[in-house]
Amino acid sequence: MHSAPAAPAVAPAHEPPRGGPDGARPLRIARVSVGYPPRRCGWSHHAAALSAAQAAAGHDVHVFQPHPGVAGAERLTVHHVPHGPLPVEPGGSLRRVRFAWRAARALDRLAAAGTSPDVVHVHGDVPELIPLAGLVRRRGAALVLTLHGGLSQRPRYRRAARVWLPRADGIIAVSDATRAEVVALGVPADRVVTISSGVDTRFFHPASPSARGAVRARLGVPPDAMVWVAVGRLAPVKGLEYLVSAAGRLPHLAAGAVVAVLGDGPERAALEAHATRQAGGADLRFLGSVDRAALREWLTAADAMVLPSVTLPGQREGTPTAVLEAMSMGLPVVVTDSGGSAAAIEALPGLTVVPERNAAALADAMTRLTADPALRARVAAANLARATTRDWRHVAAAVDAFYGRMLARRLP
């Protein structure tokens, strides 16, 4: 039987102190992010969860984002920034410049009304800094940038990055690899910090065996099946074609293994076509985009998560939120050596971390974990312990402390 090992319940994370950095006054934070719910991606979830955690800690948070009708909450005001006829999404540089320019105008109006921010926290990259850097400096706020993935290797980007990245007072990278890239481009090391995405440990936590069994029955998963989940936008950087190939290399598990792919995107048709060309292998299911509750159900039903990310010329993963959520559910996670995932999980070379673009290595790791429940249990327990330190309340406290250092640098 391939049921997941029982894991201890997650103890409530310690509550960080309310108020500003190091116990100082609450801050007025303006967040500018083209990624925000209802768009479903790690970037959007990060911006929303951090905003909510900072508001809960006592700060006044104003979010400038491109979707109409998004509700706020106590101490959290969400502003709609119209973006014109072109769709805005993380990805198009010119569209993001346009969005950031309109956000800068909205920030100016907010400041003119007497609500000047202490910190303008931008989520994105060079396209967001171009319209905002000058405005923020004129207004006297600290400008902080969060980079959600690896930096582009394109020469044109590198030239622009050397000019614009140093104009931020501070930069948050979601992985050590990205931080090293930023420093290599000339940003002083004391202005760059690694703070990964977080996870809501009160929502994502291990389920009891009885709850797990009920969820499996509801999802139509056999009780003795080995269930793998992959979560994310179906885009090239996720490397899911290698997972499809790996699933086809598991013929001896065909009667029991389920590989559930949760997410949608431009690669879906090609991935499904790739899957239909394979004979045998695991039961591969493309389930499309799911909401938060359905994601938790599939993580409850799962025995392990897999994410075979790859490095592209202009893109590389940071630390995907879905990886942290799986860890918080008490799951072993198999990733590639691309991006920041390997630094987050319990990393065992050749087993939970495999070379990117290598379906055979991925299939071997999946086979070995399937065959060894005790090993899965040990890896799951280590991941769960790591996840408790990534609760959004702790991430927000780390971001607050970084704000404090950047604000102190700006004092005369």
Side-chain angles (χ1 to χ4, degrees), residues 159-232:
R159 290 193 296 270
R162 290 183 185 277
V163 173
W164 288 99
L165 291 184
R167 301 193 185 190
D169 292 291
I171 295 178
I172 297 172
V174 296
S175 71
D176 287 333
T178 299
R179 180 183 183 275
E181 286 185 289
V182 173
V183 173
L185 285 172
V187 181
D190 63 348
R191 289 167 48 195
V192 190
V193 67
T194 301
I195 303 175
S196 82
S197 296
V199 61
D200 183 352
T201 59
R202 292 171 290 188
F203 186 83
F204 292 100
H205 57 81
S208 67
S210 60
R212 172 181 161 79
V215 168
R216 280 193 162 214
R218 188 160 56 248
L219 295 176
V221 174
D224 61 346
M226 175 70 186
V227 178
W228 293 85
V229 293
V231 183

Side-chain angles (χ1 to χ4, degrees), residues 149-371:
L151 304 185
S152 172
Q153 300 303 307
R154 295 189 175 100
R156 183 177 178 181
Y157 169 85
R158 310 295 282 192
R159 290 193 296 270
R162 290 183 185 277
V163 173
W164 288 99
L165 291 184
R167 301 193 185 190
D169 292 291
I171 295 178
I172 297 172
V174 296
S175 71
D176 287 333
T178 299
R179 180 183 183 275
E181 286 185 289
V182 173
V183 173
L185 285 172
V187 181
D190 63 348
R191 289 167 48 195
V192 190
V193 67
T194 301
I195 303 175
S196 82
S197 296
V199 61
D200 183 352
T201 59
R202 292 171 290 188
F203 186 83
F204 292 100
H205 57 81
S208 67
S210 60
R212 172 181 161 79
V215 168
R216 280 193 162 214
R218 188 160 56 248
L219 295 176
V221 174
D224 61 346
M226 175 70 186
V227 178
W228 293 85
V229 293
V231 183
R233 182 166 164 77
L234 306 190
V237 73
K238 299 296 182 181
L240 290 169
E241 65 267 34
Y242 300 98
L243 175 59
V244 173
S245 296
R249 293 172 177 263
L250 308 174
H252 59 294
L253 300 175
V258 174
V259 179
V261 180
L262 310 180
D264 214 336
E267 297 291 298
R268 181 168 181 173
L271 292 169
E272 289 180 329
H274 183 185
T276 61
R277 291 193 293 269
Q278 297 186 153
D283 176 7
L284 189 57
R285 306 182 186 183
F286 290 90
L287 302 175
S289 182
V290 299
D291 62 20
R292 197 165 179 245
L295 170 61
R296 183 171 66 175
E297 285 212 321
W298 273 102
L299 292 175
T300 296
D303 296 283
M305 180 187 180
V306 57
L307 188 63
S309 306
V310 298
T311 300
L312 301 176
Q315 190 176 12
R316 188 178 67 245
E317 297 259 43
T319 304
T321 300
V323 168
L324 300 175
E325 290 166 347
M327 293 167 62
S328 191
M329 294 289 290
L331 294 179
V333 180
V334 176
V335 300
T336 64
D337 54 8
S338 173
S341 296
I345 67 167
E346 179 68 5
L348 304 176
L351 187 60
T352 62
V353 181
V354 300
E356 64 172 294
R357 303 178 188 274
N358 191 326
L362 186 60
D364 180 64
M366 294 171 70
T367 300
R368 290 165 63 191
L369 275 172
T370 297

